[in-house]
């Protein structure tokens, strides 16, 4: 192996948290030290998060999963209720629906955006009614950082009287038209898990809403259903606070987040320019800016394993989100779905593979990844 190939095969990080830490480490260390000094461990960066996206309220909590659960609880969703979800998502979207005793009803996705297909969601509503459920909510997911089709979803929701909960665990920071994620649905949840576009150093999440009453209920729910003080319990709740150390990390990271989003978009554009002729690259519709939680391409079914092995041999990690849609999972396959089946979710699950994506991928590394993909597909 000559010098050149040895350098080329050095492993690349899929998501490089250390590179961001090199940029921000001192500021975060100081912010955390300040938290340790004043010993307030349970407050959140709520005003900054709400201002960032333009929502009236942000309510922080312990994870993106808790955020979903808190909204479902706040809306009193439970047995007999149906909640329409995409099948091609991380399990938490439907998991929290089932946890409160309601029934997730699965809809298919759009092949170009990977997001819930409004026509399939409409059929899922009809299926829910036919099996005797009361359709009350729809949870579009901004998969891989791309906002779902809120115009169509909000129109469907208005016609069917559904509450729209945007699961923006992957999409916080994205924009559709002139509106930010956080303001496109009745409520929005996000995750600050470290691998997310805006991640803290542990678990964290938030709910965004313009509804004052919902905000008050969420604040109560995250601390054991507290009322006027923490020993006044007015409802059944959770222990779901964001701890202040994570809040301190988030406040610092939020300051450089716009810059990181711009970088992610630059990298995605470059990938697409170079790979668009040989694989199916992700495309954001005209008025939408993705936050590129993942850069996910599609390659011919049956070739994915060999493709991943070829990239790995060149030091390039890949990931598959998601190898099995929820309606094929043991825990979820008994739930109802669009009567036409979910053919797009089924086929896309065999074709998707995500390339390294983070704001600190320099051009040399991008070029290595692009060259490796071109070699692996024989272009
Ligand atoms: C679409 C989606 N929803 C919900 C979650 C749950 O977020 P958390 O891991 O913070 O609980 C995730 C996390 O990966 C996700 O991707």
């Amino acid at each position: 192996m000559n010098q050149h190939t040895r350098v080329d095969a050095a492993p690349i990080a899929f998501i490089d948290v250390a590179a961001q830490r090199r940029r921000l480490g001192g500021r975060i260390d100081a912010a955390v030290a300040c938290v340790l000094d004043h010993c307030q461990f349970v407050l959140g960066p709520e005003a900054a998060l709400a201002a960032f996206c333009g929502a009236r309220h942000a309510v922080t909590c312990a994870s993106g999963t808790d955020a979903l659960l808190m909204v479902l609880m706040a809306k009193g969703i439970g047995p007999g209720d149906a909640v329409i979800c995409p099948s091609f998502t991380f399990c938490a979207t439907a998991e929290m629906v089932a946890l409160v005793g309601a029934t997730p009803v699965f809809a298919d996705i759009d092949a170009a955006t990977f997001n819930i297909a409004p026509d399939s969601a409409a059929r899922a509503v009809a299926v829910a009614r036919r099996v005797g459920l009361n359709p009350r909510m729809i949870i579009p997911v901004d998969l891989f950082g791309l906002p779902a089709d809120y115009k169509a979803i909000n129109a469907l929701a208005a016609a069917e009287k559904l509450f729209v909960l945007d699961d923006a665990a992957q999409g916080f920071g994205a924009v559709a038209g002139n509106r930010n994620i956080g303001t496109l649905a009745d409520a929005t949840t996000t995750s600050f898990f470290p691998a997310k576009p805006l991640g803290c150093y542990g678990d964290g999440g938030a709910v965004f809403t313009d509804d004052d009453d919902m905000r008050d209920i969420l604040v109560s729910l995250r601390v054991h259903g507290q009322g006027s003080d923490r020993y006044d319990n007015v409802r059944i709740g959770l222990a779901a606070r964001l701890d202040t150390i994570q809040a301190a990390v988030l406040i610092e990271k939020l300051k450089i987040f716009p810059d990181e989003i711009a970088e992610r978009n630059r990298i995605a554009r470059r990938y697409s320019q170079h790979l668009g002729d040989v694989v199916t690259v992700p495309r954001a519709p005209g008025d939408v800016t993705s936050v590129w939680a993942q850069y996910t391409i599609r390659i011919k079914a049956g070739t994915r394993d060999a493709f991943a092995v070829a990239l790995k041999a060149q030091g390039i990690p890949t990931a598959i989100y998601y190898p099995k849609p929820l309606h094929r999972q043991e825990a979820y396959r008994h739930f109802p779905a669009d009567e036409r089946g979910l053919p797009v979710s089924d086929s896309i699950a065999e074709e998707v593979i995500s390339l390294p994506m983070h704001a600190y991928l320099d051009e040399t590394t991008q070029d290595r990844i692009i060259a490796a993909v071109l070699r692996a597909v024989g272009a």
Side-chain angles (χ1 to χ4, degrees):
M1 200 187 267
N2 64 28
Q3 181 72 15
H4 180 69
T5 31
R6 223 179 17 247
V7 170
D8 264 1
I12 291 171
F14 189 71
I15 293 174
D16 195 347
V17 178
Q20 187 194 49
R21 182 143 176 81
R22 282 193 289 279
R23 172 175 179 186
L24 213 51
R27 270 146 63 186
I28 290 184
D29 292 353
V32 170
C34 172
V35 173
L36 294 175
D37 281 346
H38 64 51
C39 296
Q40 292 187 0
F41 290 96
V42 287
L43 298 172
E46 296 183 338
L49 285 164
F52 182 90
C53 70
R56 193 167 156 88
H57 304 292
V59 179
T60 54
C61 61
S63 69
T65 304
D66 279 338
L68 289 165
L69 179 58
M70 282 162 46
V71 176
L72 288 157
M73 290 170 76
K75 292 302 293 176
I77 303 288
D81 294 334
V83 177
I84 314 305
C85 308
S87 172
F88 193 67
T89 176
F90 182 66
C91 65
T93 313
E95 184 183 31
M96 292 305 102
V97 173
L99 193 70
V100 296
T103 303
V105 181
F106 291 118
D108 210 356
I109 52 164
D110 178 90
T113 64
F114 304 125
N115 282 329
I116 194 166
D119 58 336
S120 178
R123 286 192 297 273
V125 173
V127 167
R129 288 222 171 83
R130 208 172 313 135
V131 299
L133 296 165
N134 180 18
R136 289 197 51 205
M137 187 182 276
I138 179 167
I139 311 186
V141 176
D142 307 314
L143 205 74
F144 306 147
L146 184 74
D149 181 355
Y150 287 96
K151 263 189 211 129
I153 291 161
N154 287 334
L156 171 68
E160 300 285 0
K161 300 195 171 32
L162 304 174
F163 183 92
V164 182
L165 167 54
D166 170 6
D167 179 351
Q170 304 177 16
F172 187 65
V175 179
N178 55 2
R179 295 177 63 183
N180 296 310
I181 284 291
T183 65
L184 291 155
D186 296 315
T188 302
T189 56
T190 197
S191 164
F192 303 126
F193 186 73
K196 295 290 188 274
L198 179 64
C200 53
Y201 287 165
D203 278 304
V207 182
F208 301 90
T209 179
D210 287 347
D211 181 333
D212 299 351
D213 293 338
M214 171 168 271
R215 183 251 169 212
D216 292 346
I217 296 171
L218 294 169
V219 166
S220 165
L221 281 170
R222 78 175 162 189
V223 191
H224 302 288
Q226 73 176 11
S228 53
D229 66 59
R230 85 169 109 142
Y231 300 112
D232 175 35
N233 307 112
V234 297
R235 55 175 60 78
I236 301 299
L238 303 164
R241 287 163 292 223
L242 178 74
D243 78 68
T244 304
I245 290 185
Q246 301 309 338
V249 172
L250 279 173
I251 287 169
E252 291 307 316
K253 287 204 182 187
L254 199 53
K255 293 177 189 163
I256 61 163
F257 192 38
D259 196 24
E260 292 186 334
I261 294 170
E263 235 5 88
R264 284 171 179 272
N265 271 281
R266 233 189 312 278
I267 294 163
R269 264 196 305 277
R270 208 148 171 271
Y271 274 163
S272 294
Q273 264 163 17
H274 292 280
L275 301 177
D277 290 339
V278 295
V279 296
T280 307
V281 295
R283 293 193 195 282
D287 63 339
V288 165
T289 305
S290 175
V291 75
W292 300 105
Q294 303 296 339
Y295 184 90
T296 301
I297 59 172
R298 285 167 59 195
I299 57 174
K300 225 164 111 222
T303 66
R304 188 168 60 186
D305 288 351
F307 177 87
V309 168
L311 262 66
K312 191 167 178 216
Q314 296 172 67
I316 296 165
T318 54
I320 296 170
Y321 307 109
Y322 297 93
K324 215 195 242 191
L326 296 184
H327 71 286
R328 300 282 175 205
Q329 300 275 2
E330 186 172 345
Y332 298 94
R333 62 178 163 231
H334 60 288
F335 291 121
D338 176 354
E339 66 197 352
R340 294 195 195 164
L342 309 176
V344 182
S345 302
D346 281 330
S347 59
I348 292 263
E350 313 248 299
E351 297 171 6
V352 283
I353 186 158
S354 303
L355 302 180
M357 168 53 82
H358 58 80
Y360 301 90
L361 267 178
D362 58 41
E363 285 207 358
T364 312
T365 312
Q366 293 165 35
D367 288 342
R368 252 185 75 192
I369 295 165
I370 290 164
V373 171
L374 295 175
R375 259 196 304 273
V377 296

